[in-house]
Amino acid sequence: MKFFLDNYYKNGQLLNNHYEILKLIGSGSFGMVYLCRDVRENEIRVVKQLRTSKRIKKDGLHLFTNEISILKKMNHPNLPKLYNSFSLKKNYFYVMNYIEADNIDDQIFSHNKTFNEEESLSTFSKLLKMVDYLHNQHIYHQDLRIPNIMLKESEPFLIDFGLAKDMSKTWQNQRGEVEKMKQQDYYDLGDILLFLLYTTYSTRNKKALPWTEELTLEQETVYLLKRLLGIEKRYDTTSEIKADFKKALQACRKQN
């Protein structure tokens, strides 16, 4: 039986005679992420490497190449930009732009950042526009979580497309599956919105209560959340969500 150890590249090493490693900035179950300098363009880039232990499994390599193909399709200022992909000594890499920001998870738990109702709705709206852009290309993220959202001066950037699905070639034959994926992204958006709203909540009761009782929100925001989370009739389109979002934002601003 063969055991594969993941190869970490060291600071100062040059990948593909192109990218000088400055430091390792992330390490997950799927891959390692390096902050690099593009020595040809003198620009800072992010290079992601597939773990050796994942490479030897067909599904691991497939997910990695699938992520690359999805990144190639995207052209949006708040989504990753793919610059290059290559292999080196049987290791696989791709290169993206660098976003100099912390993810929302770190900002909340390490820096005590909070979002009031209007700020939460504003961030939600920007995320919704990104999801709408993706869905129009038949791409479904499937992993919308606060660790996968970078926040730079109140501007969110969506990252990590490792679990994303490109249904552009099969959506007509798999409408049921596509609908499930769409609803998963909608649900995750609702979950993110609810999470942001909870950042200003301070526990007063020892007994846990439903969010509808713990949070003091505008009626329109509650309705928006209930439909996103499937408590009320689910949304069919992002245009429906946008319409209810506008009502929630207007109600929120009237109170301020």
Side-chain angles (χ1 to χ4, degrees):
M1 181 181 292
K2 291 183 178 180
F3 293 92
F4 291 85
L5 296 175
D6 292 312
N7 294 321
Y8 287 84
Y9 287 82
K10 296 179 181 179
N11 296 354
Q13 283 189 272
L14 197 62
L15 299 175
N16 205 35
N17 294 317
H18 198 157
Y19 305 101
E20 179 191 2
I21 295 178
L22 302 178
K23 62 179 178 178
L24 180 73
I25 58 173
S27 180
S29 60
F30 195 76
M32 288 82 75
V33 181
Y34 304 95
L35 185 68
C36 296
R37 183 175 68 89
D38 183 332
V39 296
R40 299 178 190 176
E41 303 291 335
N42 195 29
E43 295 285 349
I44 301 299
R45 302 284 184 239
V46 169
V47 178
K48 185 172 182 178
Q49 175 194 352
L50 178 66
R51 284 188 180 276
T52 307
S53 53
K54 296 294 182 182
R55 185 195 74 207
I56 60 173
K57 298 180 180 179
K58 287 185 178 180
D59 59 339
L61 183 56
H62 171 74
L63 286 171
F64 195 75
T65 55
N66 176 68
E67 186 173 6
I68 292 172
S69 68
I70 287 174
L71 293 176
K72 282 181 181 178
K73 288 186 64 176
M74 299 190 312
N75 183 20
H76 189 286
N78 295 64
L79 297 174
K81 180 178 180 180
L82 182 74
Y83 286 99
N84 195 4
S85 61
F86 59 92
S87 60
L88 182 66
K89 296 181 180 179
K90 296 183 178 180
N91 288 304
Y92 294 85
F93 305 83
Y94 68 76
V95 184
M96 300 179 293
N97 59 314
Y98 172 57
I99 303 166
E100 192 173 0
D102 293 326
N103 65 48
I104 291 183
D105 187 81
D106 287 339
Q107 292 196 29
I108 291 172
F109 293 106
S110 298
H111 304 292
N112 299 315
K113 183 173 178 59
T114 59
F115 297 79
N116 61 31
E117 187 170 351
E118 185 173 342
E119 290 167 337
S120 298
L121 286 168
S122 177
T123 302
F124 166 83
S125 173
K126 293 171 183 176
L127 291 171
L128 179 62
K129 289 177 182 177
M130 285 182 255
V131 169
D132 189 35
Y133 168 83
L134 293 170
H135 287 188
N136 284 334
Q137 296 192 69
H138 306 289
I139 295 172
Y140 302 87
H141 191 278
Q142 303 299 280
D143 196 23
L144 296 169
R145 301 179 295 118
I146 57 169
N148 291 337
I149 304 166
M150 312 292 284
L151 195 65
K152 183 177 182 179
E153 297 175 354
S154 300
E155 193 68 24
F157 296 80
L158 182 59
I159 62 171
D160 199 340
F161 285 74
L163 298 180
K165 303 291 184 184
D166 180 0
M167 304 298 287
S168 57
K169 296 179 181 178
T170 58
W171 71 272
Q172 289 182 315
N173 298 324
Q174 293 183 276
R175 290 177 185 268
E177 188 63 25
V178 167
E179 183 63 26
K180 288 180 183 177
M181 291 180 186
K182 181 179 74 173
Q183 291 301 331
Q184 182 63 56
D185 280 352
Y186 288 172
Y187 180 92
D188 290 344
L189 281 173
D191 199 46
I192 290 168
L193 175 56
L194 186 59
F195 197 98
L196 297 180
L197 290 164
Y198 258 106
T199 59
T200 57
Y201 174 76
S202 57
T203 305
R204 298 183 185 88
N205 301 307
K206 292 182 179 180
K207 184 179 179 181
L209 298 171
W211 63 267
T212 49
E213 296 180 40
E214 286 188 331
L215 298 177
T216 304
L217 303 172
E218 295 300 322
Q219 215 172 354
E220 291 81 356
T221 302
V222 172
Y223 181 70
L224 173 67
L225 277 167
K226 283 184 174 181
R227 290 195 67 181
L228 287 167
L229 299 173
I231 299 169
E232 301 272 356
K233 182 181 179 294
R234 292 183 181 275
Y235 288 109
D236 292 320
T237 64
T238 49
S239 59
E240 287 183 316
I241 303 174
K242 288 176 184 177
D244 282 345
F245 154 75
K246 287 180 181 178
K247 293 176 184 176
L249 187 62
Q250 287 170 0
C252 183
R253 285 176 174 171
K254 282 181 181 178
Q255 296 299 319
N256 295 333

